[in-house]
Amino acid sequence: MNKLIAITSALAAAVTLTLGIAANAQAANPAMELHAAANHGRYLFEHGTFGGTRHMGGAPVTCDTCHVGGGLVKGRLPNGMTVLPSLVNAAAIFPRYNPKAGHVVTLEMQIQHCIKAGLGGHPPAPDSKAMVDMVAYLHSIAKGQPMNSGGKP
């Protein structure tokens, strides 16, 4: 019985040590985690259709279809007439009041709206990895932009 307790205690200590080392390894490189999230967010921005069925010129519609160049430059709606601002300051101006919606919207809510209305897709949940990664991407392109919640794009 004492041997069993000793073996169990040793095993528990080894598992705790292993988990502690793994947790420290993950925590040791938060910059890499954030960089990976932003890169995945950019990939979703450029290639994600989120189940949307809309096409333009034979290609599936993605965020990059309207917000060209990864959102770094001005874009256009598919009708070609409406100019969209760049998204460089998007992360800095949300939350903001949306007059069409009649209430304050968050960046996550705006992303969901664009995916549903623009792509005809199924937006990711606000706390999903896809949403977190897309928000991380938009924050990564907003570096140096002054915070201006409610400001204009």
Side-chain angles (χ1 to χ4, degrees):
M1 180 72 164
N2 287 343
K3 283 186 178 181
L4 181 58
I5 291 172
I7 292 171
T8 303
S9 295
L11 182 58
V15 168
T16 302
L17 177 63
T18 302
L19 290 176
I21 290 170
N24 287 337
Q26 287 178 333
N29 225 332
M32 282 184 61
E33 290 291 323
L34 187 55
H35 184 71
N39 280 342
H40 184 245
R42 181 171 182 143
Y43 177 84
L44 291 172
F45 188 91
E46 293 175 342
H47 305 285
T49 62
F50 300 93
T53 57
R54 296 198 174 120
H55 286 74
M56 191 168 117
V61 174
T62 68
C63 300
D64 201 59
T65 301
C66 298
H67 300 286
V68 296
L72 297 173
V73 297
K74 289 182 179 180
R76 290 194 183 276
L77 289 179
N79 67 15
M81 304 302 261
T82 307
V83 175
L84 300 172
S86 83
L87 297 178
V88 170
N89 73 334
I93 63 171
F94 282 90
R96 65 190 296 243
Y97 180 79
N98 182 321
K100 288 182 184 176
H103 58 83
V104 174
V105 297
T106 64
L107 182 56
E108 292 83 354
M109 292 164 73
Q110 184 63 45
I111 291 169
Q112 287 181 319
H113 169 75
C114 287
I115 290 170
K116 187 174 184 178
L119 278 60
H122 306 287
D127 61 347
S128 68
K129 179 172 175 19
M131 182 63 77
V132 169
D133 290 356
M134 291 186 73
V135 169
Y137 169 64
L138 291 173
H139 276 276
S140 77
I141 66 172
K143 285 183 181 173
Q145 294 296 313
M147 289 304 295
N148 187 17
S149 288
K152 298 236 180 238

